[in-house]
């Protein structure tokens, strides 16, 4: 099976300065891949190259013909002069059936917010609307750029759990930039450690133990790669106990 | 029927207002107010060039406005801050236009008519051009509406859905140039940007969706055109500035309305 997106020797520049060099990367259908790296390491640049917002200065990007991307940006600033209801936002850029939108909002736990203005939402509600919109087109690749930024720990845990459900549901591949290095989904098939180039990659455990990773983030508790594990065998009932379900490794 | 100059003026004003309203919404949402200024101020240079080469004024305006809009959208995002760059371009274009007009030999140019508009002198053929332009602008914006809206909201989000934000920017650039060319006779080069921005800004407090904002802006724009014309007949004031004044009045009203509604909650 050919990958959804594949890059060979992709070099990306921002404002004339190369930010990310010689990236060989591929993501296959159904895979979960997490990108970690320090600030300014080129994580978001990599995503921009993959979705086509940046044209590589050298190298190639190949996208599968049936590729359909659901993109959840790091943050979305909506200009206060632009009136936008949740309902209208969900129908950008393509209109969906009203029932489909209502169903997506219900699934995201926001059944009554269709007529609310986007600017009236809380941070957590906003993120969930972004995710619901991205899923409406039933993408085969879901891309999340630090999607849990601004969410507290229970909020992030709930968000990650939702991503797992989504993948189980849709069977889509998931590519995400981790919000912080301390929480990476243990469900990741691969972790990519990025710092101007891809410095190491592999299963979460392999990356955690890689010398390149240790060199970047240290080996003490501060640099530890903690694995978020969602315990499926019991239910805590509500979000506030969710962080107890994490296993902090490293 | 179109022999009545007042009727022609009213129709010209409404035509420009209808095209300017939805375009003006994008100008406001994308924070391109100076972009409108730069393009419309360049119109004067277009007038001078058209008179020099004895071509149709509207064509000169259209070409120069388009070149200006293209130059601005190409240059923006490199080096200088966008507002600085646009400020330089807008005023340089206006100054160059004034200088160029003064250099024209043997042609008497009614400068005031191009700076502030001369809606009462609109001819039947002007009217046909204005309405063709307005219909073209509205058709282009309607056709690209959703893509434009997505690109305005967030370029990356649009990109991920297969929309090219730069192409959508070009659509806006083109419609802006057409609107400027149509509006110069109605409100003049100095006040075209006002006709773009003020009705859209006045509509904002009353709207909950982008489409509603564009529709309300069109209503406010058309009302301002008629109100301004009426006021201009009544008190013998310059028509273009009168139209803009009525629009400004609408802006104050809707802003007060919003404050009142907020205070009630």
């Amino acid at each position: 099976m050919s990958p959804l997106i594949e890059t060979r020797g992709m070099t990306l520049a921002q404002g004339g300065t190369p930010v990310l060099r010689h990236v060989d990367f591929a993501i296959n259908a159904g895979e979960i891949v997490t990108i970690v790296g320090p600030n300014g390491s080129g994580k978001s640049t990599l995503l921009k190259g993959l979705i086509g917002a940046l044209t590589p200065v050298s190298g190639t990007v190949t996208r599968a013909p049936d590729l359909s991307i659901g993109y959840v940006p790091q943050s979305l600033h909506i200009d206060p002069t632009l009136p936008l209801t949740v309902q209208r936002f969900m129908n950008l850029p393509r209109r969906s059936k009203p029932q489909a939108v209502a169903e997506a909002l219900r699934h995201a736990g926001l059944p009554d917010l269709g007529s609310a203005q986007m600017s009236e939402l809380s941070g957590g509600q906003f993120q969930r609307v972004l995710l619901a919109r991205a899923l409406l087109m039933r993408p085969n690749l879901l891309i999340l750029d630090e999607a849990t930024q601004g969410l507290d720990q229970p909020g992030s845990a709930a968000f990650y759990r939702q991503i797992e459900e989504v993948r189980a549901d849709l069977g889509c591949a998931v590519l995400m930039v981790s919000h912080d290095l301390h929480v990476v989904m243990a469900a990741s098939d691969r972790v990519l450690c990025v710092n101007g180039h891809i410095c190491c990659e592999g299963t979460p455990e392999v990356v955690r133990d890689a010398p390149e990773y240790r060199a970047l983030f240290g080996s003490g508790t501060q640099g530890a790669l903690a694995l978020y594990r969602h315990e499926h065998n019991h239910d805590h009932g509500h979000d506030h106990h969710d962080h107890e379900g994490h296993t902090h490794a490293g | 029927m179109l022999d009545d100059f007042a009727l022609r003026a009213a129709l010209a004003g409404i035509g420009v207002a209808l095209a300017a309203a939805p375009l003006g919404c994008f100008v406001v949402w994308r924070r391109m107010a100076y972009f409108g200024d730069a393009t419309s101020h360049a119109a004067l240079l277009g007038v001078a060039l058209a008179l020099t080469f004895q071509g149709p004024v509207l064509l000169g305006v259209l070409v120069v406005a388009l070149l200006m809009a293209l130059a601005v959208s190409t240059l923006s995002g490199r080096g200088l801050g966008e507002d600085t760059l646009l400020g330089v371009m807008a005023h340089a274009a206006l100054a160059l236009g004034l200088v160029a007009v003064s250099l024209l030999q043997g042609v008497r140019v009614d400068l005031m008519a191009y700076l502030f508009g001369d809606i009462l002198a609109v001819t039947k053929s002007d009217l046909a051009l204005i309405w063709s332009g307005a219909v073209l602008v509205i058709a282009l914006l309607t056709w690209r509406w959703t893509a434009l809206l997505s690109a305005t909201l967030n370029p990356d989000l649009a990109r991920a859905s297969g929309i090219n934000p730069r192409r959508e920017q070009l659509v806006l650039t083109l419609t802006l140039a057409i609107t400027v060319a149509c509006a110069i006779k109605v409100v003049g080069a100095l006040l075209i940007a006002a006709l773009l921005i003020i009705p859209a800004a006045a509509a904002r407090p009353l709207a909950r969706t982008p489409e509603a904002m564009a529709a309300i802006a069109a209503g406010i724009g058309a009302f301002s055109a008629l109100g301004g014309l009426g006021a201009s007949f009544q008190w013998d004031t310059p028509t273009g500035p009168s139209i803009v004044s009525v629009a400004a009045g609408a802006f104050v009203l809707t802003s007060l309305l919003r404050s009142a509604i907020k205070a009630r909650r």
Side-chain angles (χ1 to χ4, degrees):
Chain A
M1 188 172 54
S2 60
L4 293 169
I5 300 185
E6 183 170 25
T7 75
R8 284 186 188 278
M10 177 177 74
T11 295
L12 295 165
Q14 296 261 40
T17 322
V19 185
L20 202 57
R21 292 167 200 275
H22 307 297
V23 175
D24 292 326
F25 170 82
I27 184 164
N28 293 306
E31 251 191 321
I32 297 188
V33 177
T34 301
I35 303 171
V36 298
N39 283 340
S41 57
K43 303 186 296 276
S44 293
T45 307
L46 175 56
L47 293 191
K48 279 174 197 259
L50 294 177
I51 64 173
L54 273 179
T55 310
V57 284
S58 64
T60 59
V61 183
T62 315
R63 297 182 183 84
D66 68 333
L67 176 67
S68 143
I69 297 175
Y71 177 61
V72 180
Q74 189 177 123
S75 62
L76 183 64
H77 170 77
I78 298 183
D79 197 277
T81 60
L82 178 63
L84 199 62
T85 58
V86 171
Q87 181 79 31
R88 187 68 190 88
F89 176 72
M90 295 287 285
N91 282 294
L92 281 176
R94 269 175 278 282
R95 287 204 181 271
S96 300
K97 292 199 179 95
Q99 305 98 295
V101 172
E103 171 61 33
L105 286 177
R106 196 166 47 240
H107 195 77
L110 310 161
D112 307 319
L113 284 176
S115 60
Q117 290 283 306
M118 289 295 286
S119 55
E120 294 165 357
L121 302 181
S122 73
Q125 290 171 333
F126 198 95
Q127 273 329 100
R128 276 184 285 162
V129 169
L130 287 182
L131 179 63
R133 190 207 72 106
L135 294 174
L136 206 49
M137 290 294 141
R138 305 190 73 81
N140 51 17
L141 173 60
L142 181 64
I143 296 184
L144 305 133
D145 190 358
E146 305 198 29
T148 59
Q149 200 179 40
L151 298 185
D152 56 11
Q153 209 181 6
S156 321
F159 196 83
Y160 282 127
R161 192 173 57 227
Q162 208 185 342
I163 302 292
E164 277 188 76
E165 279 169 18
V166 161
R167 204 219 6 186
D169 242 24
L170 286 180
C172 60
V174 179
L175 174 64
M176 59 183 163
V177 165
S178 175
H179 156 55
D180 65 316
L181 297 169
H182 303 280
V183 182
V184 166
M185 278 172 74
S188 300
D189 297 306
R190 267 187 300 146
V191 175
L192 245 64
C193 177
V194 172
N195 190 28
H197 61 284
I198 293 181
C199 39
C200 53
E201 71 173 293
T203 64
E205 288 77 10
V206 166
V207 169
R208 184 188 59 206
D209 298 330
E212 294 89 347
Y213 177 83
R214 296 273 168 183
L216 265 182
F217 300 114
S219 51
T221 45
Q222 261 142 18
L225 179 67
L227 301 180
Y228 160 73
R229 289 189 198 283
H230 176 57
E231 304 296 337
H232 290 275
N233 51 357
H234 62 287
D235 190 357
H236 293 290
H238 52 92
D239 286 349
H240 285 283
H241 294 288
D242 262 358
H243 59 277
E244 292 171 8
H246 301 175
T247 306
H248 290 277
Chain B
M1 186 178 86
L2 292 176
D3 289 336
D4 183 358
F5 75 99
L7 181 65
R8 286 200 303 271
L11 287 176
I14 291 173
V16 170
L18 292 186
L23 179 59
C25 287
F26 281 109
V27 171
V28 167
W29 296 332
R30 298 169 76 109
R31 309 198 159 230
M32 313 196 314
Y34 262 121
F35 190 72
D37 266 342
T39 307
S40 54
H41 289 180
L44 202 61
L45 196 58
V47 171
L49 289 177
L51 292 175
T52 308
F53 297 105
Q54 296 179 334
V57 169
L58 222 81
L59 185 69
V61 170
L62 188 64
V63 168
V64 175
L66 195 57
L67 287 177
M68 184 62 161
L70 282 175
V72 169
S73 42
T74 314
L75 287 175
S76 63
R78 336 181 159 173
L80 281 180
E82 201 137 325
D83 57 336
T84 306
L85 177 76
L86 287 169
V88 169
M89 304 277 276
H91 299 107
L94 183 62
L96 271 174
L98 288 169
V99 169
V101 168
S102 79
L103 286 177
L104 285 178
Q105 297 196 336
V107 192
R108 252 196 79 243
V109 182
D110 182 4
L111 195 56
M112 292 301 275
Y114 290 111
L115 285 177
F116 295 109
D118 193 4
I119 194 174
L120 300 180
V122 165
T123 62
K124 280 184 198 170
S125 60
D126 286 338
L127 202 54
L129 278 172
I130 287 172
W131 271 89
S132 316
V135 167
L136 186 60
V137 166
I138 292 170
L140 274 171
L141 289 180
T142 310
W143 175 44
R144 303 306 308 166
W145 185 265
T146 312
L148 273 167
L149 204 54
S150 303
T152 299
L153 192 62
N154 184 290
D156 290 345
L157 214 58
R159 216 22 123 155
S161 308
I163 294 163
N164 182 348
R166 289 204 78 83
R167 196 182 58 204
E168 305 310 325
Q169 166 87 32
L170 274 180
V171 172
L172 278 187
T173 305
L174 182 66
T175 50
L176 186 60
I178 299 172
T179 306
V180 165
C182 291
I184 189 163
K185 191 105 188 184
V186 175
V187 285
L190 285 184
L191 291 176
I192 291 172
L195 209 58
L196 288 170
I197 294 156
I198 299 178
R204 172 63 186 98
L206 308 178
R208 290 187 63 78
T209 61
E211 290 76 15
M213 183 161 152
I216 297 170
I220 292 176
F223 170 79
S224 307
L226 295 179
L229 264 174
S232 152
F233 279 128
Q234 188 75 34
W235 294 295
D236 195 24
T237 50
T239 312
S242 303
I243 292 174
V244 174
S245 300
V246 173
F251 172 77
V252 172
L253 262 177
T254 61
S255 304
L256 288 176
L257 201 67
R258 168 156 63 180
S259 316
I261 290 168
K262 268 195 180 158
R264 266 194 163 188
R265 274 184 191 164

